Amino acid sequence: MDVRTAVRLLERIAPPERALRDDPIGLALGREDRPVRRVMFALEATPAVAEEALDRGIDLLVVHHHPLYRPTRTIRTDRADGRALARLLQADVAVYVMHTNADAADDGLNDVFAERVGLEAPDVLEVTGREALFKLAVFV
């Protein structure tokens, strides 16, 4: 399997259209044709997570929070976060982000949290990624 195929499987679970409009989800680091044998899931690509991924020979790291969320002006390898990203890139580890699409997925994180805190009859506050479609027919 390659990253492209793994992404297709992940997107069946958490469709990209469920993400909020400006949420930067998807492949953040790496290449789609990279072979994948080992996958790791984490909240963020922290230096400790990156180190563990490298130690375990991970090919694809799936995270909830984007490692470069805000506009980045520098990636400084003399700092832990920049060094972690550089090491992941050097090792050809792909990083895929599932954020609000994982929250809003059917049986996604929001559903898990609602169940864990014991909510009875939880309901959706705002539907994302399901804009209504209209058919417009014009006769001239």
Side-chain angles (χ1 to χ4, degrees), residues 16-74:
E17 14 340 307
R18 297 277 180 98
L20 292 176
R21 181 164 299 162
D22 294 327
D23 192 21
I25 61 165
L27 189 60
L29 296 176
R31 57 192 174 91
E32 290 185 325
D33 65 341
R34 198 253 196 263
V36 174
R37 290 179 38 240
R38 302 190 79 178
V39 179
M40 182 173 152
F41 291 82
L43 181 63
E44 296 179 344
T46 63
V49 166
E51 209 51 49
E52 182 177 347
L54 294 168
D55 289 346
R56 292 177 177 256
I58 298 300
D59 307 305
L60 174 61
L61 175 60
V62 180
V63 296
H64 191 64
H65 294 138
H66 202 292
L68 301 170
Y69 182 71
R70 289 179 174 50
T72 301
R73 291 184 170 80
T74 61

Side-chain angles (χ1 to χ4, degrees), residues 88-137:
L88 289 169
L89 282 168
Q90 287 172 335
D92 198 24
V93 175
V95 177
Y96 184 77
V97 180
M98 296 171 67
H99 190 228
T100 54
N101 57 322
D103 295 333
D106 294 332
D107 297 320
L109 294 174
N110 289 340
D111 294 327
V112 171
F113 293 142
E115 181 182 320
R116 292 274 173 99
V117 298
L119 291 181
E120 295 177 17
D123 200 2
V124 175
L125 294 175
E126 179 181 343
V127 176
T128 60
R130 297 183 195 152
E131 284 74 27
L133 298 176
F134 298 93
K135 181 175 181 179
L136 176 63

